[in-house]
Amino acid sequence: MKNILVNSFIIHSRHFSETSMIYDILTDSNGLISIIAKGIKKKKDGYSMQPFKEIQLYFTKGKLPLLTKHEVLNSYTKISTKYMLAGLYFNELIYKFIPKNEPLPLLFKLYKNQLIFMTNSDNYNLHMHLLRFEYLFLKEIGYEINLAYHNNYAIDDKVNYYYRFGEGFKELDSNTDSRTLVSGGDLKNLLSKNYDEIVGIKNFRFIAKEIIKESLGNKNIKSYEILD
């Protein structure tokens, strides 16, 4: 039986029997898929099947593919120690938003780059790391957050802006939720991806969270209860 080879990250896992597991994995070529690892709990190398490791997997083709071999390529230990809750939050977003068996190579790249960025960054502001992933993730799945104005509009550092859901950032008016208010300077930094220079990070995160909640409908993000 032919084996399929992919690079992957474990996003979610569940017990299948006393000795086996089912893993939901984000792959570089097949998107989010499920595989079964029979007897993995009894194997000496089974402990390596953990989140925040880039793992090369071999598995058979089928409705529920069978894992036949695996090898750890990279282990992002800083995520599993210092940023465990953040990493689990990223995984929850992917698990609840992304449909199975849809090739999303850019999402795989985004996820891997986020782990690398957090591993190498000297900035330990957790909200900055969360904001960075939230906004890039929303853009990747079709919810890019941008200005409500035409492309030639120039953001004014001295003007405050608010986010109108479904439209974008607009200049401040009198009927504005203060939690969506941001400065012109911060807005420039967001759109330029200078996340570590944003002062009002929590307001940007509030906006991202509201978009996520609205998009998911009745699905709750359990990580919010722990992170915030």
Side-chain angles (χ1 to χ4, degrees):
M1 189 176 293
K2 184 179 179 181
N3 280 330
I4 298 172
L5 171 65
V6 298
N7 288 5
S8 68
F9 290 96
I10 293 174
I11 299 299
H12 182 264
S13 63
R14 54 196 181 276
H15 299 284
F16 181 71
S17 66
E18 290 185 2
T19 61
S20 304
M21 297 286 293
I22 292 178
Y23 296 101
D24 298 301
I25 57 173
L26 179 64
T27 71
D28 57 351
S29 55
N30 300 76
L32 186 65
I33 65 172
S34 298
I35 63 170
I36 183 170
K38 290 186 176 180
I40 193 71
K41 297 177 187 177
K42 299 176 73 174
K43 295 179 180 179
K44 291 182 179 180
D45 60 352
Y47 71 91
S48 62
M49 292 288 289
Q50 299 291 332
F52 320 125
K53 296 174 186 258
E54 184 178 7
I55 306 174
Q56 193 172 67
L57 301 178
Y58 294 81
F59 54 85
T60 60
K61 188 175 182 180
K63 187 175 181 180
L64 183 58
L66 173 65
L67 177 68
T68 58
K69 183 181 177 182
H70 68 278
E71 178 184 354
V72 175
L73 301 178
N74 296 292
S75 183
Y76 300 95
T77 55
K78 190 174 181 180
I79 307 301
S80 58
T81 54
K82 188 172 183 62
Y83 295 117
M84 171 65 82
L85 294 179
L88 293 176
Y89 169 52
F90 302 156
N91 288 358
E92 186 177 1
L93 288 181
I94 291 171
Y95 185 69
K96 291 187 174 177
F97 263 102
I98 304 303
K100 295 282 185 69
N101 305 306
E102 182 177 317
L104 294 167
L106 293 180
L107 178 60
F108 179 88
K109 184 178 180 181
L110 165 62
Y111 183 84
K112 180 176 178 178
N113 285 346
Q114 179 71 22
L115 300 189
I116 293 172
F117 177 80
M118 293 174 72
T119 297
N120 296 332
S121 176
D122 292 328
N123 188 329
Y124 295 103
N125 185 332
L126 178 61
H127 284 286
M128 186 276 291
H129 292 298
L130 295 173
L131 175 70
R132 182 182 189 273
F133 184 80
E134 286 167 337
Y135 274 75
L136 293 176
F137 177 76
L138 285 171
K139 180 180 179 179
E140 182 58 36
I141 63 174
Y143 294 92
E144 183 172 7
I145 300 172
N146 220 322
L147 293 171
Y149 304 111
H150 55 74
N151 293 334
N152 294 326
Y153 176 83
I155 298 172
D156 189 338
D157 287 0
K158 298 179 181 179
V159 172
N160 285 330
Y161 295 80
Y162 74 102
Y163 188 77
R164 176 170 287 178
F165 294 96
E167 294 185 37
F169 282 101
K170 306 186 74 172
E171 292 184 12
L172 176 63
D173 64 19
S174 57
N175 299 312
T176 302
D177 185 339
S178 62
R179 293 172 296 180
T180 70
L181 287 181
V182 299
S183 71
D186 275 352
L187 183 53
K188 281 184 178 179
N189 284 325
L190 178 80
L191 299 179
S192 300
K193 298 182 174 62
N194 297 323
Y195 304 101
D196 55 349
E197 296 182 19
I198 296 174
V199 177
I201 287 178
K202 290 189 176 181
N203 282 27
F204 282 111
R205 288 214 58 229
F206 173 80
I207 293 166
K209 287 167 61 178
E210 290 301 301
I211 294 172
I212 289 168
K213 289 178 182 178
E214 184 175 329
S215 303
L216 283 176
N218 294 325
K219 295 181 182 178
N220 292 323
I221 298 295
K222 295 180 181 178
S223 303
Y224 287 154
E225 300 172 7
I226 303 172
L227 283 170
D228 298 322

